[in-house]
Amino acid sequence: MSGELPAARYAHVKPAPFWRKRCGRTAPGSEGTCTREPGHRGPHVAHGPLRRVVAVWEAEDSRVAQPSGRKPATRRPVGLPSKGSSSLTGRLGVAAKFMDEHIEEIALAVFFVAFVWFAIEWLMIILR
């Protein structure tokens, strides 16, 4: 299958984080490249600005999109706290991952706080 797939159906698919390698397969007849992790399952997905899905396409080879030799996930018992990193680099990595996944929400919160501050300043000028 090499036909185009509807991008709205795959809007939930997120791109690979900026610190990880990306698939990089080019879309047929387009300049978009796959922004998912290498060895991903399912179709290739290209993301545009603000992490929005721009293009979705199936691989020519059905084997190309399948992971090779995938390891089973290790499971932790339910109820135990997750292993937190105590090193500075580990904490910076967690913070960078959080920023990458929630950048739009953080920007909106900053704009909201700036707007409230601006409104209070003008209210104080008017009431003088």
Side-chain angles (χ1 to χ4, degrees), residues 85-97:
S85 176
S86 60
S87 69
L88 178 63
T89 56
R91 289 182 182 191
L92 287 175
V94 169
K97 181 179 178 185

Side-chain angles (χ1 to χ4, degrees), residues 31-74:
E31 299 162 2
T33 59
C34 182
T35 54
R36 296 180 74 185
E37 293 183 6
H40 60 83
R41 286 185 164 184
H44 294 285
V45 180
H47 291 85
L50 301 176
R51 300 164 54 128
R52 304 231 190 280
V53 175
V54 176
V56 179
W57 70 98
E58 288 284 343
E60 302 272 334
D61 240 352
S62 62
R63 292 182 300 145
V64 173
Q66 298 297 323
S68 59
R70 194 168 185 186
K71 293 185 241 174
T74 58

Side-chain angles (χ1 to χ4, degrees), residues 66-83:
Q66 298 297 323
S68 59
R70 194 168 185 186
K71 293 185 241 174
T74 58
R75 294 185 164 201
R76 289 188 312 253
V78 177
L80 293 178
S82 63
K83 299 176 191 172

Side-chain angles (χ1 to χ4, degrees), residues 7-25:
R9 180 177 173 196
Y10 294 94
H12 67 281
V13 176
K14 301 291 181 204
F18 67 89
W19 62 85
R20 289 204 183 140
K21 190 174 181 180
R22 296 185 174 200
C23 178
R25 298 278 294 224

Side-chain angles (χ1 to χ4, degrees), residues 112-126:
F112 177 75
V113 169
F115 174 74
V116 169
W117 178 74
F118 181 76
I120 291 172
E121 286 290 322
W122 271 98
L123 185 64
M124 294 191 55
I125 290 171
I126 291 171

